[in-house]
Amino acid sequence: MLLRALRNHCPHCAERRIWASWGKLKPRCPGCGYSFSREEGYWVGAMIVNIGAAQLLFMALLLGTMALTWPDVPWTGLLIGTAAVMVAFPIWFYPRTKTLWIWLDLRVHPYTPEERE
């Protein structure tokens, strides 16, 4: 299920046609009927996943570059590089955070037959 989520497919059934547009899911999965928005504020968790992943990437780039170039750390290049990554990565990763959040939710609250239309 995790690999399905990372490929932007439905984590439950691997359906590919779940996106209405970039970053906007259809209300239900066309394959299995899973409702992508189970409650008000559901996508706050996806935003937290996105922020957390961006922070981990920033720390890895910062500490990795410092460790590899110490004591002559290229501070200007590091600043420009990490700033560019911190703008681009969350935008690129945003759709995946939604499918990852659905995957996490399915692990905690499995899809039951009562939820189907």
Side-chain angles (χ1 to χ4, degrees):
M1 285 176 62
L2 177 59
L3 292 176
R4 295 175 191 166
L6 289 171
R7 291 186 316 199
N8 282 338
H9 299 170
C10 175
H12 186 258
C13 71
E15 176 64 46
R16 294 180 182 188
R17 300 170 292 133
I18 64 173
W19 298 96
S21 63
W22 185 88
K24 184 172 192 269
L25 286 165
K26 294 178 180 176
R28 291 188 167 274
C29 175
C32 64
Y34 179 79
S35 176
F36 291 125
S37 187
R38 295 178 117 179
E39 61 192 8
E40 187 71 28
Y42 184 72
W43 298 118
V44 172
M47 289 188 284
I48 292 169
V49 169
N50 198 352
I51 292 167
Q55 288 177 343
L56 287 173
L57 179 62
F58 172 78
M59 290 305 296
L61 288 174
L62 178 69
L63 296 175
T65 303
M66 287 175 64
L68 291 173
T69 60
W70 193 263
D72 299 319
V73 179
W75 293 109
T76 304
L78 186 59
L79 173 68
I80 293 168
T82 54
V85 168
M86 292 308 294
V87 169
F89 177 78
I91 294 168
W92 171 81
F93 198 58
Y94 178 68
R96 284 166 186 78
T97 60
K98 286 191 168 188
T99 53
L100 281 171
W101 184 247
I102 294 168
W103 170 74
L104 284 168
D105 188 44
L106 281 170
R107 301 292 296 166
V108 175
H109 303 108
Y111 187 42
T112 61
E114 295 84 36
E115 293 181 85
R116 296 177 192 250
E117 282 188 333

